[in-house]
Amino acid sequence: MNIDDLRNRIENEISVLKTFEDLKRIKATILGRKGVFSEYLDALKLLDKDQKRVFGKEINILKVSTEARLNEIEATLIEAERARQEDLTWVDITMPGKVPAPGKRHPITQTFEEIIRVFSSLGFAVAEGPDIELDYYNFEALNIPKHHPARDMQDTFYIKPGIVLRTHTSPVQIRVMEAQLPPVKIISPGSVYRCDHDVSHTPMFHQVEGLMVDKHVRFSDLKGILSVFIQEIFGANTRLRFRPSYFPFTEPSAEVDIGCVICEGAGCRVCKDTGWLEILGSGMVHPQVLRNVGYDPEEVSGFAFGMGVERIAMLRFGIDDIRQFYYNDIRFLSQF
Ligand code: PHE
């Protein structure tokens, strides 16, 4: 019986041991019931008593030391595996955190909010009306006669005869006055639609309408309210002028200009060298409009105004192409 052979065999097996699978396999082939030690112990039975004692002892010593070595190797493998897992799940808590990318409100929304804030502080309530509107509210009740150019198919999106996409927020005036008695003091923000598309027009844009009706409302009230509004939005030094104009639903009518916020009156491309920028339409509510909603123009009077929100946003933020608002380009939108 050659114990050195046995020892060499064990050495060879262990020298290639790398994984848990190797370990399992080697444990079976060396220490298992059909392993090499069993073979040797079986062979021992054939020897005589003295030889049995000598070889038996040597085999036993080798078996115990082999078991100890394999246990040691197993512990090393377990530790290596634990370290590997720790590496995989390791978190560097000193790394700077990921900054979340919060959305921002659209510049048009911001401008709406700013306009609403100012008029709320002046006691105006917010009223809304439908985007899909009856011809009656969009035109007829506002004293826009059948032949008026604003009804031209080129400007108005007709859904079907008698129903349009509203071309302005003025129909909300009619809806509010039909629903309540004076005093009325509202603004109406919302989307409006006109068949037009270039650097200064988009087919959908936004307006804020204003309406105040009560006993003794005068043109000077309109001037006072709009002056406060303009100075809140464009700064206390902003100049303002009322220019005679025409709207079918107001009389007298005025367009309001502000001193150019770009060149401060010196003349530039934006104000077309006039030093002034047209900012809104306004006037005293036409007596016929009051009659159309059942108000008595001998009893009450009112003013109305309407402004384009994109126009105001463009001037506040220095944007020269209205279409920028609707490209949804994140590089543009994230600036505001
Ligand atoms: N509705 C008009 C427009 O869209 C603006 C306006 C509103 C003018 C109220 C006078 C009074 O141009």
Side-chain angles (χ1 to χ4, degrees):
M1 182 168 286
N2 192 336
I3 298 292
D4 282 340
D5 267 2
L6 177 57
R7 191 174 283 119
N8 284 338
R9 223 172 123 181
I10 292 171
E11 270 326 306
N12 285 340
E13 292 271 15
I14 289 180
S15 70
V16 299
L17 198 166
K18 282 204 177 71
T19 66
F20 280 108
E21 284 73 51
D22 295 342
L23 180 69
K24 207 172 145 195
R25 183 173 43 75
I26 290 168
K27 268 187 172 171
T29 56
I30 294 177
L31 298 167
R33 243 173 356 102
K34 289 178 180 153
V36 284
F37 275 106
S38 301
E39 263 173 49
Y40 271 75
L41 290 172
D42 282 345
L44 209 57
K45 288 172 192 157
L46 306 173
L47 302 178
D48 66 34
K49 207 180 159 204
D50 280 349
Q51 281 185 318
K52 240 184 214 167
R53 206 166 47 78
V54 175
F55 283 116
K57 197 179 170 191
E58 283 202 49
I59 291 172
N60 225 11
I61 288 170
L62 184 57
K63 193 177 176 200
V64 168
S65 75
T66 305
E67 277 169 352
R69 278 185 69 193
L70 289 178
N71 285 341
E72 219 172 89
I73 290 170
E74 182 167 19
T76 318
L77 285 175
I78 287 172
E79 170 55 23
E81 175 61 15
R82 194 199 56 74
R84 197 180 70 87
Q85 287 297 334
E86 196 179 84
D87 250 16
L88 285 178
T89 55
W90 183 74
V91 173
D92 183 354
I93 58 165
T94 66
M95 289 271 280
K98 283 189 190 144
V99 181
K104 290 187 179 168
R105 280 165 308 156
H106 193 279
I108 294 299
T109 307
Q110 290 181 35
T111 308
F112 261 133
E113 287 171 347
E114 188 64 2
I115 294 169
I116 291 169
R117 183 187 65 75
V118 175
F119 282 110
S120 296
S121 77
L122 294 169
F124 286 77
V126 173
E128 285 180 312
D131 289 18
I132 299 172
E133 188 54 286
L134 294 175
D135 180 294
Y136 175 76
Y137 288 112
N138 196 77
F139 295 125
E140 203 73 36
L142 286 164
N143 204 30
I144 304 178
K146 285 271 187 281
H147 60 264
H148 195 279
R151 282 174 169 247
D152 196 302
M153 289 292 288
Q154 285 179 346
D155 296 323
T156 307
F157 290 112
Y158 279 86
I159 290 190
K160 52 183 169 179
I163 299 179
V164 301
L165 288 179
R166 65 178 178 188
T167 57
H168 52 178
T169 41
S170 300
V172 183
Q173 286 184 31
I174 306 297
R175 289 181 171 275
V176 169
M177 288 192 285
E178 274 188 352
Q180 70 170 91
L181 291 171
V184 173
K185 207 174 171 189
I186 57 114
I187 55 167
S188 183
S191 310
V192 299
Y193 306 84
R194 291 181 198 177
C195 193
D196 221 345
H197 203 191
D198 59 39
V199 276
S200 49
H201 299 89
T202 47
M204 186 278 307
F205 60 105
H206 299 88
Q207 287 188 335
V208 174
E209 190 81 6
L211 175 70
M212 178 170 172
V213 182
D214 201 352
K215 289 190 168 121
H216 315 301
V217 173
R218 293 162 301 187
F219 197 90
S220 54
D221 296 314
L222 172 67
K223 288 177 82 172
I225 292 281
L226 289 181
S227 300
V228 170
F229 166 71
I230 292 297
Q231 286 170 358
E232 279 285 322
I233 294 288
F234 292 106
N237 295 325
T238 312
R239 287 170 311 132
L240 203 68
R241 78 175 181 189
F242 288 74
R243 192 162 33 76
S245 186
Y246 170 76
F247 298 102
F249 36 91
T250 47
E251 181 59 36
S253 301
E255 271 170 330
V256 177
D257 298 339
I258 60 171
C260 182
V261 293
I262 311 290
C263 65
E264 289 172 353
C268 69
R269 195 172 56 89
V270 177
C271 64
K272 299 191 182 85
D273 280 324
T274 62
W276 295 95
L277 297 165
E278 185 197 321
I279 205 85
L280 52 82
S282 66
M284 300 307 289
V285 181
H286 196 292
Q288 187 56 46
V289 172
L290 295 175
R291 276 193 289 274
N292 288 345
V293 298
Y295 287 8
D296 181 356
E298 301 297 323
E299 282 286 309
V300 293
S301 54
F303 64 72
F305 56 85
M307 66 187 86
V309 178
E310 280 77 358
R311 174 99 172 125
I312 291 176
M314 286 167 84
L315 294 173
R316 285 183 78 215
F317 296 126
I319 297 162
D320 61 5
D321 182 347
I322 190 174
R323 294 169 298 192
Q324 288 281 1
F325 289 123
Y326 303 109
Y327 290 141
N328 280 336
D329 185 334
I330 203 83
R331 293 165 302 182
F332 170 78
L333 293 174
S334 63
Q335 296 175 67
F336 307 100

